[in-house]
Amino acid sequence: AALYALRNEKKVLILEKESFGGQIATSPRLENFPTIPSITGSEWADLVFTQITDLGAEFELEDVESIKKEGDSFLVKTNYNEYECSAVIIANGVKPRKVGLPNEDELTGKGVSYCAVCDGPFYKGKEIYLVGDANTALQYALLLASYCQKIHMVTLFDKLFGDAILINRVLQNDKIDIRHNMSLVSLNGESALESITFEDTATKERMTFATDNVFIAIGQVPQNDFLEGLLSLDKGFIVTNELMETEIPGLFAAGDTREKENKQVITACNDGAVAAMSAVKYLNNL
């Protein structure tokens, strides 16, 4: 979005609350982006960041708390500042979905992790437990298998969901053991994770495994609570038309934050380009 806005000679400020690149920056390998056979997510994000900053994009690490429309302008309030602008593109992606267990938050970072790229190296040479069955989990399984002793991949259903090429790689990897029809019901430990308990979805039998790690990759959820009351949301996702326009003139949305069928890097890039061109047209008509 920034790239297309900048190439149309608009001033761009990017507000990011964590680190540039979003979800893809934590992906161990990106292999479905045209012209690039294989690249890490962080490398790809760095290339995009360099490209747009070279074109003049401004960048601030701040958390957006609210957006208000005042006449033809928007007031964007963050945890540090307030900014006035003529158009806003929301491209804040999604965050990892949590299981929702009682002490999940307390044990996050103490054995419970949602990012194999970030935390996997801490468990080099060890046995790993991984919960999930789709593309993110498949990628994590392959990454962890490259330097860990054994990967116990536990899925809620009786099959894997994701790209066929990833499924085949996982099934052919001798270090990855797959256990189907298992629901994670307990994270055990106080100051750190000590064991995890699963329940067989068919027999209801419970099994506890001693471990100091579990990687959870069960999907993503939108981060649009700050938009409640401002925009129409569908299960938390922003509703737009094909031009990335929301119901508020001058306010656009792009990427996984919007309600859409396919959430991929290439579709997010498409959304960003369309949103920027729609925003440019809107600004030129003010």
Side-chain angles (χ1 to χ4, degrees):
L3 176 63
Y4 274 74
L6 290 162
R7 286 175 59 83
N8 281 276
E9 299 183 339
K10 301 304 179 186
K11 186 176 180 181
V12 174
L13 169 64
I14 299 176
L15 298 171
E16 168 61 60
K17 73 174 183 178
E18 291 176 355
S19 59
F20 185 81
Q23 294 177 85
I24 196 59
T26 66
S27 178
R29 190 170 296 170
L30 174 61
E31 296 181 325
N32 57 2
F33 196 82
T35 77
I36 305 175
S38 182
I39 190 173
T40 68
S42 61
E43 289 172 337
W44 186 83
D46 287 343
L47 290 173
V48 177
F49 182 77
T50 299
Q51 186 176 17
I52 61 173
T53 50
D54 285 349
L55 286 173
E58 297 180 36
F59 179 79
E60 295 291 344
L61 280 171
E62 299 178 21
D63 187 5
V64 175
E65 297 177 343
S66 66
I67 300 173
K68 294 181 180 179
K69 181 79 179 284
E70 298 181 349
D72 288 334
S73 297
F74 290 90
L75 185 65
V76 180
K77 183 180 179 182
T78 73
N79 52 336
Y80 291 112
N81 295 295
E82 289 186 350
Y83 300 95
E84 186 176 349
C85 57
S86 298
V88 175
I89 299 175
I90 303 170
N92 59 337
V94 292
K95 61 183 178 180
R97 182 184 299 278
K98 295 189 175 183
V99 181
L101 297 175
N103 58 343
E104 190 171 354
D105 289 339
E106 287 77 9
L107 292 177
T108 296
K110 300 174 182 178
V112 176
S113 177
Y114 306 88
C115 177
V117 180
C118 315
D119 300 331
F122 295 124
Y123 303 99
K124 184 177 181 179
K126 302 186 69 171
E127 289 197 23
I128 302 295
Y129 281 84
L130 170 65
V131 177
D133 54 22
N135 276 340
T136 298
L138 294 168
Q139 287 187 323
Y140 282 2
L142 292 167
L143 172 68
L144 293 166
S146 68
Y147 53 76
C148 293
Q149 179 184 349
K150 189 77 176 179
I151 313 301
H152 301 288
M153 188 174 184
V154 186
T155 75
L156 183 61
F157 302 103
D158 61 356
K159 62 180 181 179
L160 299 173
F161 304 86
D163 295 343
I165 191 170
L166 291 176
I167 293 176
N168 289 334
R169 287 178 186 173
V170 166
L171 293 176
Q172 293 168 11
N173 195 308
D174 294 336
K175 295 174 72 174
I176 302 174
D177 168 50
I178 303 174
R179 307 184 185 196
H180 291 305
N181 300 315
M182 302 276 279
S183 175
L184 179 62
V185 294
S186 179
L187 299 167
N188 311 313
E190 295 183 6
S191 59
L193 184 69
E194 297 174 359
S195 66
I196 51 179
T197 302
F198 293 96
E199 181 178 273
D200 187 300
T201 58
T203 66
K204 303 305 178 184
E205 177 187 359
R206 292 199 171 192
M207 291 156 277
T208 297
F209 303 95
T211 182
D212 63 353
N213 68 79
V214 62
F215 289 84
I216 297 173
I218 56 173
Q220 293 83 30
V221 292
Q223 309 177 79
N224 294 323
D225 293 346
F226 72 105
L227 297 173
E228 290 282 356
L230 177 67
L231 288 175
S232 296
L233 301 176
D234 183 354
K235 297 179 181 178
F237 293 95
I238 301 171
V239 178
T240 72
N241 60 16
E242 64 179 12
L243 297 177
M244 307 302 140
E245 298 170 324
T246 69
E247 67 222 62
I248 298 178
L251 185 59
F252 308 86
D256 290 6
T257 191
R258 59 181 286 263
E259 196 284 319
K260 56 190 289 189
E261 181 67 25
N262 297 306
K263 294 178 170 63
Q264 296 287 314
V265 170
I266 195 167
T267 64
C269 288
N270 169 78
D271 287 0
V274 173
M277 290 187 287
S278 294
V280 167
K281 182 178 180 180
Y282 170 81
L283 293 171
N284 289 342
N285 289 330
L286 283 179

